[in-house]
Amino acid sequence: MHPARFQKQFLRRLGDFRPLQQLLDLLPDVAFFMKDRSGRFVFNNQRATESCGVAAAAETIGKTDGDFFSPDRAALYRQQDQQVMQGTPILNAICPAPEKGADWLIIFSKVPLKDRRGRIIGVAGIHREIRGLPAAPPQYNRISRAIQRMHQHYAAPLSIAALAAESGLSRSQLDRCFRRLFRTTPRDYLLRLRINAASRLLAETNRKTTDIALEVGFYDHAHFSRTFRKLTGVTPAAYRKRHHH
C-alpha cells in the first residue's frame, strides 16, 4: 500500500484526541494551537494556554487573540492567519516580542486546516519564544543595537538612518533585514512600540490623550489618532472605554 494512503486510512480511524493532547501538553517550550476561520481558538496546548495568560485551556476556547493580547499584537496575528487561510503557509518565520523586551523573539509556523472536502476551515500553528542573541538567526545580531535603541528610546525623535548607521548598515539594508525577520519596516516597528506604550497608559491612567500622545513620541495628535486606529482597529477614546481599569 502507498505510504500516504496507509497513513491517511489509519488517521481516519482515530477517535480520541486526548492522548495526543497529553503529549502536546508535555512540550515544555512549544505552543501549539488551532483556530477556526473567525480566529476563535478551538485548541491550545498547555504552553499556548500560558502564553494567553490563563491557567486552563478551557478559558481560551471560543475566544480570539483580541481577548488576550494587545490590540496591535492581535491585529498582527489576524493578518498572519488570513494569509495562511488563503492557502499560503508561514514556516519558520520570526516575529518580535516587544512586550517582553528587545532580546526576545518568537519563532513560529502556521498552516491551513482543511476539512475532508479540502476546504480551508482554520489555521494550526506552533510558536516558541527565545531569548538572547546567540539563539537567534545570524541576521538578528546585525540589527540588535537598533532594536534595543528603539525599545529604550521609542519616545525620542529617532532617525531610522541613524539607527542603521549604528548597526553598520545602510538604511535599505536595515529595512530589508526588518522585512525578512519581522515582516515589517523599522518605522512601523517603532510605531507599534509607541502604540503599545500608549495603550498601557490609556488603560491604566486618566491622563489626557494629547499628553499620552506626546509622551510616547507623537508630536501631532491627529497622526497619533490615525496610527492608533490603524493598528488597533479602534480610536484611543474607544480603547480607553473598553480597557480602562
Side-chain angles (χ1 to χ4, degrees), residues 25 41 43-69:
D25 283 340
F41 287 110
F43 178 82
N44 274 312
N45 75 344
Q46 184 59 38
R47 184 66 192 89
T49 299
E50 292 170 357
S51 71
C52 289
V54 295
E59 297 179 65
T60 68
I61 305 305
K63 296 182 180 180
T64 70
D65 291 310
D67 293 303
F68 305 107
F69 304 106

Side-chain angles (χ1 to χ4, degrees), residues 173-211:
Q173 287 174 321
L174 183 69
D175 187 77
R176 285 197 298 272
C177 283
F178 262 83
R179 289 181 184 276
R180 185 185 310 118
L181 294 175
F182 302 139
R183 300 188 176 213
T184 190
T185 65
R187 174 176 169 74
D188 286 345
Y189 184 93
L190 179 59
L191 288 175
R192 286 186 181 277
L193 289 178
R194 289 172 174 170
I195 295 302
N196 272 350
S199 298
R200 290 192 293 271
L201 290 172
L202 286 167
E204 298 171 4
T205 74
N206 292 313
R207 299 181 58 187
K208 293 181 180 179
T209 304
T210 50
D211 293 339

Side-chain angles (χ1 to χ4, degrees), residues 145-161:
R145 187 175 302 175
I147 292 172
Q148 290 169 0
R149 177 64 65 89
M150 287 182 182
H151 278 264
Q152 294 167 0
H153 305 287
Y154 59 81
L158 296 177
S159 162
I160 302 302

